[in-house]
Amino acid sequence: MTHVTEDVTVQQNLNHFRKSRSLSDYLQEIRLLLEPKIAPCKDNMPLLVMVTSAPSHTEQRYAIRNTWATRVPTLFILGLSGEELQHLNDRHEDDLIVYEFKDHYQNLTLKVALMLKWASEECSSVNYLLKTDDDMLLNPWQLETVVHDTPDADLLGYKMVNAELDRRESSKWHMPSWLYPEEFVPEYLSGNGYMINGKHLKPMFLAAYEVPLINIEDIYITYLVARRKLGLKLTHEPRLSVYRPWLPLVSSYWELASVHGFTPPELLAWWSELLDMSKNVK
């Protein structure tokens, strides 16, 4: 019975793509409800992190604000209706970008397109924009090294090659053939965390107007828009990891710039370990 419910929900959340897959059709109906009073961007700033978050994920945002966001400029982007904004518990924090749309997983592509729009208008002078999720542990010391090692890359992330699409209707990653008929994706960067060179923010946003939307954000943004439409190079960066280390040792985590899949308490605990490690390394 659970699978039946999931199937119906996923299908219903994809129905709007049957009506339109044009980004311009969606953006003309979406209002910006909230943004920082002053954008935390400076000329030639090495890195800006933008986190896709859900309205209910207050604890995740709290954990991030008190861990790695203390070391790297960070903003959160989410969707709400205008009436719901007053019920957002952390709406008074000056790191939220809120647009008026229905926030669910099948709208993640739209959310990241809005991220590109905002960043290209307000923070285009950054060297890199890192798109990531609110269950990620970032290591600012390693991120600094990644930026230093690859100052001129187009896009950086954990590259997936010849990936088979998920056609299971019960899966949150379900990609129906009517949205994308090909069975494999030649290459894309995992949506857990990828970096976009600041000079490509506006070209990628404008190119997205010409690429029909699909529901899987990382394939759409990094492959269909960046790689196939614009011909940008996708650079594999294993330090932007999609996996946790096999051994739960701080020395293993220290070698990575990002790690996926943390609850707020885990994030707080591992951050404390990384802080101690940073003092020993220096």
Side-chain angles (χ1 to χ4, degrees), residues 2 4 14 57 69 73 111 126 133 162 164 171 177 179 189 194 196 199 206 232 234 242 259:
T2 301
V4 173
L14 290 175
H57 289 188
K111 183 187 290 188
V126 300
D133 300 329
N162 294 326
E164 185 174 6
S171 171
S177 57
L179 269 180
L189 302 179
Y194 55 82
I196 303 172
K199 67 184 179 182
L206 295 177
L232 302 179
L234 308 184
V242 298
V259 192

Side-chain angles (χ1 to χ4, degrees), residues 33-45:
L33 299 177
L34 184 67
E35 65 179 331
K37 295 180 181 65
I38 300 176
C41 307
K42 302 175 182 177
D43 289 343
N44 298 317
M45 188 169 75

Side-chain angles (χ1 to χ4, degrees), residues 77-96:
I77 184 166
L78 51 151
L80 280 173
S81 71
E83 294 76 19
E84 293 173 317
L85 183 58
Q86 62 181 324
H87 302 297
L88 188 66
N89 291 334
D90 55 346
R91 64 187 180 278
H92 299 300
E93 297 285 349
D94 201 33
D95 57 8
L96 296 175

